[in-house]
Amino acid sequence: MPLWERAWHLAVTPWPAERVFRLAGLCMIIGGILVGTGALGHPYDRHPPSPSEIVSSSYVAWHVISGLGFISLCVGFAGVSGFQMRVAGHLGSVDVAGIFLLFIGCTFQAAAQLADGLVFAAVATIVPRVFELNGSLFGGTPLAGLASLAGIAFASGSVLFGIGAIARGALPRRSTAAVMAGGVLIAVPVQPASPVPWWIVVAGTVLLGAGSAAIGQWLWQGGPRPSRLVPLPPVRSPQPPRVPIS
């Protein structure tokens, strides 16, 4: 069978839950590595940067890497939620609210990173005045308000997600705690918009990436022991009808 036919057969064939969870773990590993390295490789220590910094090739490259990492985390966290449902038997309101807010925050982070690296860099070469600190974009209420709401959603989602996972014992506690702490720190406004230094956000992003990658590796290796899984109801063989004795 040719390679493309085997790939098509693999894609359209229903996947067992174990394969889906392993794929989610792989997405968490890739996303965690890309997000962490994207933060460490960021060439400047403030946000928003100056127009001359936005057009630099290193600024574009590291933001694209971070954007791809958040996309991978979006897919990974969706699979992790399915894994929690398999382990715990169901998802509570805290779990649902956490993954919903976390998915919104992840989606916005991915869009913001890609726009920052691709769209803003192209526009800054034509109209650099727009990207000044008090300009029409970074100094405007719509973008600042949207970024604040997305940061609150990401931080709240990571905390609720972590609380639900730790309470149910579905995921490793240390890795989940790292995701919670990183999700809160990554949403903190930094200099020059606030007195918080840039390294706080970098530390939070590294924590988020390391915790996500650790959860992904744990899932890739098979997750918890079989004794931790909720047993499925036994399949009972149909009993033959009883014939009354006359």
Side-chain angles (χ1 to χ4, degrees):
M1 180 183 296
L3 180 61
W4 68 270
E5 289 187 6
R6 283 185 292 176
W8 174 256
H9 177 74
L10 181 64
V12 300
T13 303
W15 286 15
E18 288 75 13
R19 185 180 296 177
V20 174
F21 297 150
R22 286 172 64 88
L23 177 63
L26 181 61
C27 290
M28 293 289 285
I29 294 173
I30 295 175
I33 293 174
L34 292 180
V35 166
T37 55
L40 290 174
H42 195 281
Y44 308 110
D45 58 352
R46 66 193 187 97
H47 187 82
S50 64
S52 60
E53 294 169 345
I54 292 178
V55 299
S56 65
S57 58
S58 59
Y59 184 88
V60 173
W62 289 113
H63 276 78
V64 170
I65 289 173
S66 296
L68 295 177
F70 278 108
I71 292 174
S72 185
L73 286 184
C74 283
V75 179
F77 278 118
V80 170
S81 298
F83 179 79
Q84 289 188 85
M85 182 182 296
R86 173 67 182 90
V87 173
H90 67 284
L91 290 179
S93 56
V94 174
D95 303 291
V96 175
I99 194 61
F100 178 73
L101 292 173
L102 193 58
F103 189 79
I104 291 177
C106 252
T107 303
F108 181 85
Q109 289 288 344
Q113 294 290 336
L114 292 177
D116 223 356
L118 298 176
V119 180
F120 289 177
V123 177
T125 59
I126 304 173
V127 211
R129 184 179 302 177
V130 175
F131 298 93
E132 294 177 355
L133 179 59
N134 296 320
S136 57
L137 184 64
F138 290 137
T141 303
L143 183 61
L146 183 61
S148 300
L149 289 176
I152 292 172
F154 192 88
S156 303
S158 62
V159 170
L160 293 176
F161 167 82
I163 290 174
I166 292 176
R168 297 178 184 278
L171 299 176
R173 293 179 179 270
R174 292 181 180 178
S175 304
T176 307
V179 171
M180 293 172 64
V184 172
L185 293 178
I186 199 176
V188 175
V190 295
Q191 297 174 348
S194 76
V196 178
W198 173 255
W199 67 265
I200 294 291
V201 172
V202 175
T205 311
V206 171
L207 271 176
L208 174 67
S212 302
I215 293 175
Q217 183 182 9
W218 184 76
L219 276 179
W220 179 262
Q221 293 176 345
R225 299 185 300 272
S227 59
R228 293 289 305 277
L229 297 177
V230 177
L232 297 176
V235 180
R236 298 182 178 180
S237 58
Q239 300 293 332
R242 296 183 179 181
V243 177
I245 301 176
S246 56

